[in-house]
Amino acid sequence: FGCGRMYHGGEFRLDFHHRQTSALTIMNGRGAERWIHHMKAALDDEIPVGNEVTDSRIRVAINTFLQFFLEYYGDSFGFEVAPNVFGDVSKASPDKSSWKAGDG
């Protein structure tokens, strides 16, 4: 996410795991909805939206990260993703034109 250290073959290994194992059976719209439900519940428990005690940028950064990769997987595995599923995202969200759908 932050262009830190990259592992050789990382995208290939991740794609292999998702496409060549049983993970493919849940990498679909229904699986995404279930994952989103549990992820939002966990985030709301730990970092409630509008909590003045924590830095409000934390939740926005997490939302932006999750939304970016959810859309990436949606494009890769053929399911639709609504905008801002997790809540507010950064206005400086990463450019999605840099990935190719299906490249895993």
Side-chain angles (χ1 to χ4, degrees), residues 34-51:
R34 183 172 174 83
W35 181 81
I36 290 166
H37 168 78
H38 291 293
M39 183 58 71
K40 284 175 69 174
L43 286 170
D44 289 344
D45 283 349
E46 292 299 320
I47 310 170
V49 176
N51 182 350

Side-chain angles (χ1 to χ4, degrees), residues 62-76:
I62 293 170
N63 292 348
T64 303
F65 176 84
L66 292 173
Q67 185 73 31
F68 178 85
F69 282 101
L70 183 62
E71 290 174 6
Y72 175 85
Y73 285 122
D75 285 353
S76 297

